[in-house]
Amino acid sequence: MTRAETIPTTPTRERPETPVSTPGRVGESTTRADGVPKVTGEFEYSSDLWMDGMLYGATLRSPHPHANIWSVDTSEAEAVPGIFAVLTHEDVPGRKVCGMEVPDQPVLAWERVRYQGEPIALVAADHPETARRALEKISVEYEVLDPITDAEEAMREDTPKLHLSGNLLRHIHVVHGDVDTAEADVVVEGEYEVGMQDQAFLGPESGLAVPDGRGGVDLYISTQWLHIDRDQVAESLGLEPDQVRLHLSGVGGAFGGREDLSMQIHSCLLALHTGRPVKMMYNREESFYGHVHRHPARMRYEHGATRDGKLVYIKARLVFDGGAYASSSNAVCLNAGTFACGPYDVPNALVDSYMLYTNNPPCGAMRGFGAVQVCFAHEAQMDKLAKALGMDPVELRIKNAIKPGDRFPFGQEVPPPAPVAELLERLKAMPMPEEEDITGRDLRRLPGGVSNVTHGEGVRRGVGYAVGYKNVGFSAGFDDYSTAKVTLSVEGGEPLVRVHTAAAEVGQGIVTLEAQIARTELGVNKIAVLPADTSIDSAGSTSASRQSYVTGAAVKAACEAVREKVFARVREEFGEDPDGLSIEDGNVVAEGHGIVVPLAELLDGEEIGELVKYRHKPTYPLDENGQGDAHVQFAFAAQRAIVEVDEELGLVRVVEVATTQDVGKAMNPQALEGQIEGGIAQGLGLALLEEIQVKEGRIQNASFTDYLLPTILDMPPVKMEILELADPDAPYGLKGVGEPPTIASTPAIVAALRDATGRELNRVPVKPEHIVGISGPTGQPPQPGSRGPAAERA
Amino acid sequence: MEFLQPATWREALEAKSAHHEAVPIFGGTDVMVEMNFDRRRPGYVLDLTRVPEIQVWERENGKFRVGAGVTYTRIITDLKNELPALAMASRTVGSPQIRNRGTVGGNLGTSSPAGDALPPLYASDAEVELASVEGIRRVPVGEFVTGPKRNVLRREELIWGFIIPEAEGPQQYAKIGTRNAMVIAVCSFGLALHPARRKVGTCIGSAAPTPVRAKEAEEFIEGVLAEGDLWETRGAISEAALRRFGEMVEMSARPISDVRGTAEYRRRAVGVLARRTLSWAWAEYRDGR
C-alpha cells in the first residue's frame, strides 16, 4: 500500500472559528453564533471537511438481513487503480466488537450478518466513485438464512438464537401494589402499535480521520458524545485513549441517531492503514442503514377505574423490537417500563417491558425514547376510559394526575415540582383558535394542501389532548457527569472568559447557553466557547435532555470557582469582604460603594482557570420488582391538538397544537420555543407520516422521497404557555426541555383524529387507509398466554 | 462519462444521432437522483439546458406548442389560464426549487405513471413531438407512454415538446399525497370539459401501469350531460350521477400496493377525486367560466 509522503496535521478547512458570542445572560433570547452561517449555507458541517491528500472511504454492506458469511475475497478490489486499502474484520487490531451498553456489534462482520446493511468491508480510494466501484469487486459468499423479523417470534423458545445470550435482550418487570386483588368498576383494554421512526437528521454521517504519524489518530466527527466514541474507537484500534483524539465537527442534527458509532472506527482504521487522512460520508440512502432507529413497539394495556374515575390498576405488556444489536435498547426498555402508566397516581400496576433481538434494523436512541411509545398507548387508554365513564378526558387526567409526594409505579417518590394537573388546567383554559369558514379557503389551509383534493368536502374537525413525561439525564445508577473548564483572562485590555467542555452542540444551543451562563456568573461580556474535543474530560452525552442541566451545572460551578478566586484576590489586595462583591461589566463591584477594581487591572496579565466536574445526585438501578429511585429529574408537557381530516380521503391538516410545559427556568426563551416547535414537528411526523417500512428485514423506503418528513405546510402554528417552577436540585432550577414536546404531540394528534372520525386508530403513523377504514393495524395482535417468558408473567 | 453540451437543437439531434446511449438531461430532477443513487451510470449525458429552441412555448392554431425545456414554474406563471389543469398539476410538483428546474418534457421522458403533468395531457388529447436528424413525428400522449417508465421514443430521438389544445372549458387536477406538499402522487386525477365538442376528458394517474383514461366513465357522464340537456341548460349534475361517475373511474383503475399506499385505497381515492373534480369543473361551467 502506498503511504503519503507528508502528513498534514489538521484539516485545511477547519472547524468554524471559535465564536465570541454576543451579549445575553441566562433568561434572555440571545442570538446563536452559528445561526447566520447555517441559514446562509456557510456553516461547515462534518460532510464539508476537506484536507489535501485525503482519501475517501466506503463501506460494503450486507444485502441480506440474516446470512452466514463463508468467505470474503478482496483481491479483485485491491487491484483497482486508485484503491489504497481494502479492509475486513481481520484488519481490526483491537476489540472486534463495539456498542454503547453491550459490545455486541461487530466493527466489521465475520461469520454472520444479522441485519441488512451490516458493514462487512471497507475501502479507501483517491476518489469516492473509485471507492464505490471497488466495493462491487469484493465478493462475499453468503449462505442466506431465514430472518427473524417479529419480536414475538424472537421471544419463542424454539426460535433460533441470534446472540449467545439469547433473543431476549432485556426484561423490566414492575410490580406496584397488587393488580390481582384490585377491584375496578370499569375496565378498558387496548392494543397499540408504534412503527419504526427515523431521526432523519439532515447532515449525513461523516467525518475525517487524520493519522498523527506516531500511531495515533485525530478524528473530526459529528457525534453526540465524543468520549464514548473515543473509548470505543481506541478499544477497537488497540490504542490508548490518549492516542485517539476526537474533535467535534459541524453536526447537522442528531436526535439520538448519533449516539452509536457509524463510520468512526472505520475511518480511523483506513487512515491508520494508509497513513493518509480518510474522509467518509454516507449518502442519504446509506444513512438509513448507517444509524439506529426508534424502536417499533406493540403494547397491550388494561386500565381499571372506579365509577367516579379514579384509576385502580394498570396492566401493561410492552414488546419492543430492538433489531440486530443492543445499542441503547436496555435504557429504552427501562424507560418504557418505568413510564408505562403515564404521569398518573396509580395504586396498583403490573408492567412487563420486553426487548428482543431480531434481524430487523437495529434500534436505539431517538428523542423521547421509551416514553414516546408508551405515551401513545397510555394516553389512548385514558381517552378510552373517559369515554367508558362518560367523563371529559381532561377532567379524568386531572383527577388522576400525579403530584409531588406520590409514588411512581416504580417506587420512586415524585419530586417537586410535578405540576401535571396545573399543566392540564392551563391547557384546557387556553383559547381555541377561531374556526375559519371551510368554503373559499386557500388550499394550503385544507387537508391535502396544494394537491387540491378538497374544497371542504368530507372535512371534519377534531380535538385531542395528551400529557407526557420523561426522565432528564442518565438513570439507574449511571455515573452521569460533565466537566467544564472556565478561564478568565485579559485580552486586548478587555476581560475574556474562555469556556471549554466536550459537550456536543448538535443544534440544540448548548454553546450559546454556556456563554450565557459564563456571562451571568462572571459579569464579563466577551465569552469564547472553545471547540468541543477530548482534550478535556467528558461532558456526557447530548441526549436525554441533559446538557443544559449537567454541562450547564458544570459551567456554572466552574464560573463560581473562578469568581471565588477573584474575590479572594480582591480581599487580599483591597480588604473587601467577598460577601458584598459582584462582577459587573468587567469590574469588581462592592455593594454600596461601586467599582473596587476593573478585572483587567486585578488580573495584571495573569489567568484564573478552574476545572470542575459536576455530578447530579445519584440514581439507582431497579430491583427485581422494578422498584428503585431510578431517575434524577422528570419533565412534563401537556398538549392539545386540533385537526381537520378529510373523512373520504383520510388526509389530515393539523390546525394548531397548544402546549403547556414546565421548564423550571426558561434559560433562552427563543431556543426553548425552537425546541418545543421542533419536538412537536417530530411527534407530528410519527403521528401521520414517518415510518421506516420494513418487510422481511429489508427497508422499503430508504429515501426522503418515501420516508416523509413534515413540511412547513404540515406543521401548524404552536401556542405555548411555559411554566417556570424551579427544581431545587438543578442549576437555575432548570428542567430538560428537548424531549417532552415530542412525547405528548403524537398521542394528542391521534386523539384529535379519533375525535373527528370516531375510529380506533391504534397504530402510528396513522395512514390515510386507516382513517377511511380500509385496513386496520398492520401488525398481528399478540396472542395472549401462548408464548415463552411473556406468557409466564403476563 | 462524457458530457455533451449542444448549443442548438440541430446540434442536440446530431449528438443524439451519434450517441444513441446518451441520456438527455434538463432539470435533472429525475436523472440526477438515479445517478446519485448509483442506479444509472450513463456513458454519455446530453445537456439540453443550452438549447434555446426547446425553452419556448407558442400558440399554433388554437393549440399550444410547448418545448420540453419549459419549466413547471413557467407553466404556472405563463399558462395558468390557457392550460389550467396542467398549471394545477405543475403546482403540486415538488418544491419551488424543483419546479424551477423540472420540466414537463422530463416528465414525458421518464414516463412514470406518477408523473404529475401526464394526466392533464391525456385529458386534453395532447400530442408529443419527437425529433431526430431524420425529421419529426407527433404521437398522441396515450400512445407515447407504453408502460411504467417505458415509451415509444426511439434511441436516436429526443422529445422536442408537446402540443396541447388551449382549454375550451373548465379543467381540474387533484392529487393524493400523504404529505400536504412535496410529495409523489399516491394517485391523481385530471379532468377537462370540452363544451364545444360535448366531451369530457379524464385521466387517472399513479393507479395503473401508465396514466389511463377512464373511457367508460367519460362516455357515461357524456351520456348524462346529453340526456339531461345539461350542456345547454347548465343544469346541475345529480348526486347519483356524480357518484356513478366516481365508481366508474374506480373501475378503470388498476392500482398496485406499494410503500406509498394500498391498491384498495388508491382505487377508492381516485373515485373520490373524480367525483369532486367533476363537481368543481361543472360548477365553474355553470357559472359561465
Side-chain angles (χ1 to χ4, degrees), chain A residues 346-361:
Chain A
V346 188
N348 305 287
L350 179 64
V351 178
D352 280 290
S353 176
Y354 299 95
M355 180 63 71
L356 278 305
Y357 282 121
T358 68
N359 291 115
N360 286 324

mmCIF file of all heavy atoms in Angstrom, chain A residues 346-361:
data_model
loop_
_atom_site.group_PDB
_atom_site.id
_atom_site.type_symbol
_atom_site.label_atom_id
_atom_site.label_comp_id
_atom_site.label_asym_id
_atom_site.label_seq_id
_atom_site.Cartn_x
_atom_site.Cartn_y
_atom_site.Cartn_z
ATOM 1 N N VAL A 346 -51.311 5.834 40.288
ATOM 2 C CA VAL A 346 -51.919 4.517 40.074
ATOM 3 C C VAL A 346 -51.605 3.644 41.277
ATOM 4 O O VAL A 346 -50.436 3.374 41.550
ATOM 5 C CB VAL A 346 -51.329 3.843 38.818
ATOM 6 C CG1 VAL A 346 -52.088 2.578 38.491
ATOM 7 C CG2 VAL A 346 -51.314 4.797 37.643
ATOM 8 N N PRO A 347 -52.615 3.215 42.015
ATOM 9 C CA PRO A 347 -52.320 2.432 43.220
ATOM 10 C C PRO A 347 -51.763 1.036 42.930
ATOM 11 O O PRO A 347 -50.995 0.506 43.720
ATOM 12 C CB PRO A 347 -53.668 2.338 43.943
ATOM 13 C CG PRO A 347 -54.712 2.772 42.981
ATOM 14 C CD PRO A 347 -54.047 3.570 41.909
ATOM 15 N N ASN A 348 -52.160 0.444 41.812
ATOM 16 C CA ASN A 348 -51.698 -0.913 41.506
ATOM 17 C C ASN A 348 -51.280 -0.975 40.038
ATOM 18 O O ASN A 348 -52.021 -0.513 39.178
ATOM 19 C CB ASN A 348 -52.815 -1.938 41.735
ATOM 20 C CG ASN A 348 -53.388 -1.850 43.137
ATOM 21 O OD1 ASN A 348 -52.749 -2.264 44.104
ATOM 22 N ND2 ASN A 348 -54.582 -1.256 43.249
ATOM 23 N N ALA A 349 -50.125 -1.566 39.813
ATOM 24 C CA ALA A 349 -49.690 -1.675 38.420
ATOM 25 C C ALA A 349 -48.825 -2.907 38.238
ATOM 26 O O ALA A 349 -48.088 -3.317 39.148
ATOM 27 C CB ALA A 349 -48.907 -0.432 38.003
ATOM 28 N N LEU A 350 -48.945 -3.493 37.074
ATOM 29 C CA LEU A 350 -48.086 -4.609 36.680
ATOM 30 C C LEU A 350 -47.637 -4.330 35.256
ATOM 31 O O LEU A 350 -48.461 -4.253 34.344
ATOM 32 C CB LEU A 350 -48.863 -5.928 36.750
ATOM 33 C CG LEU A 350 -48.071 -7.170 36.345
ATOM 34 C CD1 LEU A 350 -46.922 -7.423 37.293
ATOM 35 C CD2 LEU A 350 -48.993 -8.386 36.291
ATOM 36 N N VAL A 351 -46.340 -4.123 35.111
ATOM 37 C CA VAL A 351 -45.823 -3.768 33.792
ATOM 38 C C VAL A 351 -44.715 -4.745 33.411
ATOM 39 O O VAL A 351 -43.810 -5.003 34.211
ATOM 40 C CB VAL A 351 -45.236 -2.330 33.784
ATOM 41 C CG1 VAL A 351 -44.660 -1.989 32.410
ATOM 42 C CG2 VAL A 351 -46.298 -1.308 34.197
ATOM 43 N N ASP A 352 -44.827 -5.305 32.236
ATOM 44 C CA ASP A 352 -43.734 -6.114 31.697
ATOM 45 C C ASP A 352 -43.280 -5.506 30.390
ATOM 46 O O ASP A 352 -44.063 -5.379 29.459
ATOM 47 C CB ASP A 352 -44.182 -7.561 31.486
ATOM 48 C CG ASP A 352 -44.169 -8.321 32.785
ATOM 49 O OD1 ASP A 352 -43.065 -8.580 33.287
ATOM 50 O OD2 ASP A 352 -45.264 -8.605 33.326
ATOM 51 N N SER A 353 -42.024 -5.120 30.364
ATOM 52 C CA SER A 353 -41.453 -4.486 29.178
ATOM 53 C C SER A 353 -40.369 -5.416 28.640
ATOM 54 O O SER A 353 -39.413 -5.743 29.347
ATOM 55 C CB SER A 353 -40.875 -3.129 29.597
ATOM 56 O OG SER A 353 -40.224 -2.506 28.522
ATOM 57 N N TYR A 354 -40.567 -5.883 27.419
ATOM 58 C CA TYR A 354 -39.628 -6.842 26.825
ATOM 59 C C TYR A 354 -38.909 -6.196 25.651
ATOM 60 O O TYR A 354 -39.522 -5.496 24.845
ATOM 61 C CB TYR A 354 -40.369 -8.068 26.289
ATOM 62 C CG TYR A 354 -41.118 -8.839 27.338
ATOM 63 C CD1 TYR A 354 -42.478 -8.606 27.567
ATOM 64 C CD2 TYR A 354 -40.468 -9.806 28.095
ATOM 65 C CE1 TYR A 354 -43.171 -9.316 28.523
ATOM 66 C CE2 TYR A 354 -41.153 -10.531 29.055
ATOM 67 C CZ TYR A 354 -42.513 -10.283 29.275
ATOM 68 O OH TYR A 354 -43.184 -10.984 30.219
ATOM 69 N N MET A 355 -37.612 -6.501 25.552
ATOM 70 C CA MET A 355 -36.805 -6.009 24.432
ATOM 71 C C MET A 355 -36.180 -7.217 23.751
ATOM 72 O O MET A 355 -35.535 -8.030 24.400
ATOM 73 C CB MET A 355 -35.729 -5.069 24.969
ATOM 74 C CG MET A 355 -34.818 -4.475 23.929
ATOM 75 S SD MET A 355 -35.642 -3.420 22.724
ATOM 76 C CE MET A 355 -36.057 -1.984 23.727
ATOM 77 N N LEU A 356 -36.392 -7.321 22.452
ATOM 78 C CA LEU A 356 -35.953 -8.515 21.726
ATOM 79 C C LEU A 356 -34.947 -8.199 20.639
ATOM 80 O O LEU A 356 -35.016 -7.140 20.007
ATOM 81 C CB LEU A 356 -37.168 -9.185 21.060
ATOM 82 C CG LEU A 356 -38.066 -10.100 21.895
ATOM 83 C CD1 LEU A 356 -37.247 -11.212 22.555
ATOM 84 C CD2 LEU A 356 -38.833 -9.318 22.931
ATOM 85 N N TYR A 357 -34.039 -9.130 20.437
ATOM 86 C CA TYR A 357 -33.187 -9.105 19.249
ATOM 87 C C TYR A 357 -33.972 -9.713 18.080
ATOM 88 O O TYR A 357 -34.644 -10.733 18.240
ATOM 89 C CB TYR A 357 -31.952 -9.989 19.449
ATOM 90 C CG TYR A 357 -30.831 -9.435 20.283
ATOM 91 C CD1 TYR A 357 -30.415 -10.108 21.422
ATOM 92 C CD2 TYR A 357 -30.151 -8.292 19.891
ATOM 93 C CE1 TYR A 357 -29.338 -9.644 22.170
ATOM 94 C CE2 TYR A 357 -29.072 -7.823 20.641
ATOM 95 C CZ TYR A 357 -28.673 -8.499 21.781
ATOM 96 O OH TYR A 357 -27.605 -8.032 22.510
ATOM 97 N N THR A 358 -33.869 -9.106 16.914
ATOM 98 C CA THR A 358 -34.424 -9.675 15.678
ATOM 99 C C THR A 358 -33.435 -9.379 14.555
ATOM 100 O O THR A 358 -32.381 -8.789 14.791
ATOM 101 C CB THR A 358 -35.780 -9.048 15.306
ATOM 102 O OG1 THR A 358 -35.555 -7.681 14.932
ATOM 103 C CG2 THR A 358 -36.798 -9.137 16.437
ATOM 104 N N ASN A 359 -33.787 -9.759 13.355
ATOM 105 C CA ASN A 359 -32.962 -9.403 12.186
ATOM 106 C C ASN A 359 -33.446 -8.126 11.506
ATOM 107 O O ASN A 359 -33.112 -7.866 10.345
ATOM 108 C CB ASN A 359 -32.928 -10.541 11.166
ATOM 109 C CG ASN A 359 -32.163 -11.742 11.669
ATOM 110 O OD1 ASN A 359 -32.723 -12.807 11.872
ATOM 111 N ND2 ASN A 359 -30.877 -11.566 11.905
ATOM 112 N N ASN A 360 -34.224 -7.340 12.230
ATOM 113 C CA ASN A 360 -34.632 -6.044 11.686
ATOM 114 C C ASN A 360 -33.520 -5.029 11.941
ATOM 115 O O ASN A 360 -32.576 -5.301 12.680
ATOM 116 C CB ASN A 360 -35.944 -5.612 12.341
ATOM 117 C CG ASN A 360 -37.111 -6.415 11.792
ATOM 118 O OD1 ASN A 360 -37.132 -6.755 10.609
ATOM 119 N ND2 ASN A 360 -38.062 -6.738 12.654
ATOM 120 N N PRO A 361 -33.616 -3.854 11.319
ATOM 121 C CA PRO A 361 -32.587 -2.842 11.549
ATOM 122 C C PRO A 361 -32.435 -2.563 13.042
ATOM 123 O O PRO A 361 -33.440 -2.508 13.763
ATOM 124 C CB PRO A 361 -33.129 -1.615 10.818
ATOM 125 C CG PRO A 361 -34.062 -2.160 9.790
ATOM 126 C CD PRO A 361 -34.646 -3.396 10.381
#
